[in-house]
Amino acid sequence: MSTAFKDKLKELRLEKGMGQVVLAKEIGVSKSVVSFWENGKCEPTLTPLISMANFFEVSLDVLTGREEY
């Protein structure tokens, strides 16, 4: 994945007007994990990626920055 993922994740989260804690609860991870993803310190595995894509109602390509929505 690229820096596009971390930027897209933050963009989608802010579009919904939610903080990292709320997103973390929605997808079943800790707030610190969401923070690490948004800061580019680590990348999610497939299961949380799918959860995020479903939650934001976007494709994995959009979520990872490969395609615009």
Side-chain angles (χ1 to χ4, degrees), residues 10-52:
K10 186 172 185 177
E11 176 187 327
L12 290 168
R13 179 178 60 77
L14 293 176
E15 281 178 8
K16 286 217 178 231
M18 63 178 32
Q20 292 179 340
V21 172
V22 175
L23 176 59
K25 286 181 182 178
E26 287 290 335
I27 62 171
V29 298
S30 70
K31 185 260 182 206
S32 61
V33 170
V34 174
S35 178
F36 285 165
W37 292 338
E38 288 188 0
N39 288 305
K41 294 184 179 187
C42 68
E43 296 176 342
T45 59
L46 186 57
T47 299
L49 272 175
I50 292 170
S51 294
M52 285 183 277

Side-chain angles (χ1 to χ4, degrees), residues 47-66:
T47 299
L49 272 175
I50 292 170
S51 294
M52 285 183 277
N54 288 337
F55 177 75
F56 290 120
E57 298 179 332
V58 297
S59 69
L60 289 174
D61 283 338
V62 168
L63 183 60
T64 57
R66 293 173 36 104

